[in-house]
């Protein structure tokens, strides 16, 4: 063994290995860079926010959007590095379609068009391709680090914690006679007529003005009623303290006045577990999926230099 250490080639090997390790420490290979976003992309994010929220984004909100956009760019670059675009049929069909749209497919097969598109790097500037590759990358990350399974204990714990939020709203089943504002002076007399003559909703409908949303409604929540008649109608109906099997009115809405026949009322109540089990399981799974994806993206971010 001592003779082995006297051999020159071993000295060169050890010295070379040491120099290589020293170089790796002093001059590590550069990491991929993402960002910064160009001014035009930042302005696009600001416009999208304004169109959705109706107000300008705050500095914190804009920074959050920029970070999310940089994460998308990072996922796109990672997908390209893994060459996912070379094996994804959706990307392939999109590029072939683009080539034919550009009238560059005369006499060429789909395979030739696809190769030409890759050579021209059309996949780098197509937003549909980018979204597809980001989606594929997210699925890959989730496959590598799947979210925890939702157990029965998790569902029961969420059910107990969210009892108030899960309460079932009251439900209204009713029919109505609609009077335009021009006929508002007739409302009291018409209500008296239907009550004195014991008219049911079907018979009283002949007294109604046309109402496009309809005349008969079943099992609607207050929010659903307001969607058809406006919030003022729902508030006025509740204030009238309706009773099943009786006429109520006139009830004012944004459209005019209504004589309302209350067919049935279901009061607000606590939800039963079986009613909301699927909803809770779906919400928990989505929350865990999103958290698992955030964690995976954060881990991937360690391999990149992100420039804000």
């Amino acid at each position: 063994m001592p003779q082995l250490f006297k051999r020159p080639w071993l000295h060169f090997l050890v010295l070379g290995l040491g120099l290589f390790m020293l170089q790796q420490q002093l001059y590590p290979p550069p990491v991929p860079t993402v960002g910064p976003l160009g001014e035009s992309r930042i302005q696009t994010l600001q416009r999208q926010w304004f169109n959705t929220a109706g107000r300008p984004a705050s500095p914190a909100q804009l920074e959050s959007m920029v970070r999310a956009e940089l994460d998308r760019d990072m996922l796109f670059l990672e997908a390209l590095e893994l060459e996912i675009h070379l094996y994804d049929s959706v990307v392939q069909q999109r590029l072939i379609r683009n080539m034919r749209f550009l009238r560059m497919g005369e006499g060429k097969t789909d395979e030739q068009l696809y190769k030409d598109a890759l050579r021209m790097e059309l996949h780098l500037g197509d937003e549909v391709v980018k979204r597809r590759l980001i989606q594929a990358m997210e699925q890959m990350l989730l496959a590598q680090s799947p979210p925890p399974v939702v157990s029965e204990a998790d569902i029961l714990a969420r059910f107990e914690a969210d009892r108030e939020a899960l309460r079932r709203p009251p439900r209204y089943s009713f029919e109505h006679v609609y009077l335009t504002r021009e006929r508002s002076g007739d409302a009291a007399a018409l209500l008296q007529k239907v009550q004195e003559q014991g008219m049911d909703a079907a018979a009283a409908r002949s007294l109604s003005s046309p109402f496009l949303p309809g005349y008969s409604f079943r099992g609607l929540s207050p929010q659903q009623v307001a969607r058809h008649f406006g919030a003022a109608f729902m508030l006025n109906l509740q204030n009238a303290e309706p009773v099943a099997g009786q006429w109520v009115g006139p009830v004012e809405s944004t459209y005019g006045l209504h004589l309302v026949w209350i067919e049935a009322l279901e009061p607000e109540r606590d939800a039963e577990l079986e009613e909301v089990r699927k909803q809770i399981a779906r919400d928990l799974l989505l929350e865990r999926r999103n958290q698992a994806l955030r964690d995976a993206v954060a881990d991937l971010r360690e391999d990149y230099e992100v420039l804000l």
Side-chain angles (χ1 to χ4, degrees), residues 4 21 88 93 97 107 113 155 256 288 292:
L4 178 64
M21 295 177 64
D88 189 279
Q93 292 304 313
R97 180 181 175 184
L113 289 175
I155 293 175
R288 294 180 179 191

Side-chain angles (χ1 to χ4, degrees), residues 32-281:
T33 300
V34 176
L37 295 186
E39 186 61 30
S40 62
R41 290 183 68 185
I42 293 177
Q43 290 176 355
T44 297
L45 293 174
Q46 290 174 315
R47 282 196 302 270
Q48 291 172 344
W49 176 274
F50 186 85
N51 292 336
T52 301
R55 52 182 171 77
S58 68
Q61 289 164 339
L62 180 59
E63 181 181 345
S64 178
M65 287 189 290
V66 168
R67 289 184 180 277
E69 194 69 6
L70 290 172
D71 281 343
R72 293 182 75 250
D73 287 353
M74 178 184 68
L75 291 173
F76 181 54
L77 289 178
E78 188 71 12
L80 293 175
E81 178 67 23
L82 296 174
E83 298 186 334
I84 296 176
H85 59 292
L86 299 182
Y87 310 100
D88 189 279
S89 59
V90 174
V91 172
Q92 182 178 15
Q93 292 304 313
R94 173 69 178 183
L95 294 179
I96 292 171
R97 180 181 175 184
N98 287 350
M99 290 293 286
R100 295 201 184 282
F101 178 78
L102 295 172
R103 300 185 182 278
M104 304 181 74
E106 203 65 41
K108 293 186 177 182
T109 66
D110 285 353
E111 183 65 23
Q112 290 171 326
L113 289 175
Y114 177 55
K115 290 180 179 179
D116 288 347
L118 291 176
R119 188 162 50 251
M120 296 168 62
E121 297 186 337
L122 294 186
H123 59 293
L124 299 182
D126 188 287
E127 184 61 29
V128 174
V129 171
K130 182 176 182 178
R131 285 200 302 268
R132 174 65 180 181
L133 292 181
I134 290 171
Q135 182 185 53
M137 196 64 226
E138 289 175 342
Q139 291 171 347
M140 182 177 293
L141 291 176
L142 287 172
Q144 294 170 349
S145 302
V149 175
V150 176
S151 68
E152 181 66 15
D154 296 329
I155 293 175
L156 289 173
R158 175 61 63 89
F159 177 69
E160 292 299 330
D162 289 358
R163 272 190 177 275
E164 189 62 32
L166 292 169
R167 281 180 64 82
R168 303 289 89 181
R171 297 284 174 177
Y172 296 81
S173 296
F174 62 93
E175 300 189 36
H176 73 111
V177 174
Y178 168 57
L179 304 175
T180 62
R181 295 199 178 279
E182 291 75 18
R183 298 180 62 196
S184 59
D186 302 332
L190 287 178
L191 179 60
Q192 182 178 359
K193 179 179 179 179
V194 298
Q195 289 175 330
E196 289 178 350
Q197 296 184 13
M199 299 173 67
D200 61 16
R205 192 174 301 163
S206 62
L207 307 173
S208 178
S209 300
F211 190 72
L212 289 178
Y215 303 94
S216 182
F217 300 87
R218 298 286 182 274
L220 299 189
S221 68
Q223 185 178 20
Q224 291 169 326
V225 173
R227 196 175 300 141
H228 289 293
F229 294 86
F233 174 89
M234 188 64 247
L235 180 62
N236 293 333
L237 181 61
Q238 290 173 326
N239 290 339
E241 299 181 352
V243 177
Q246 294 184 9
W247 285 95
V248 176
V251 179
E252 186 175 5
S253 74
T254 54
Y255 305 105
L257 297 178
H258 307 259
L259 309 180
V260 184
W261 170 257
I262 304 298
E263 181 178 313
L265 295 173
E266 298 177 34
E268 182 182 22
R269 61 178 176 81
D270 285 336
E272 299 290 338
L273 176 59
E274 292 309 313
E275 288 181 293
V276 294
R277 177 187 296 277
K278 290 183 179 180
Q279 173 191 337
I280 292 175

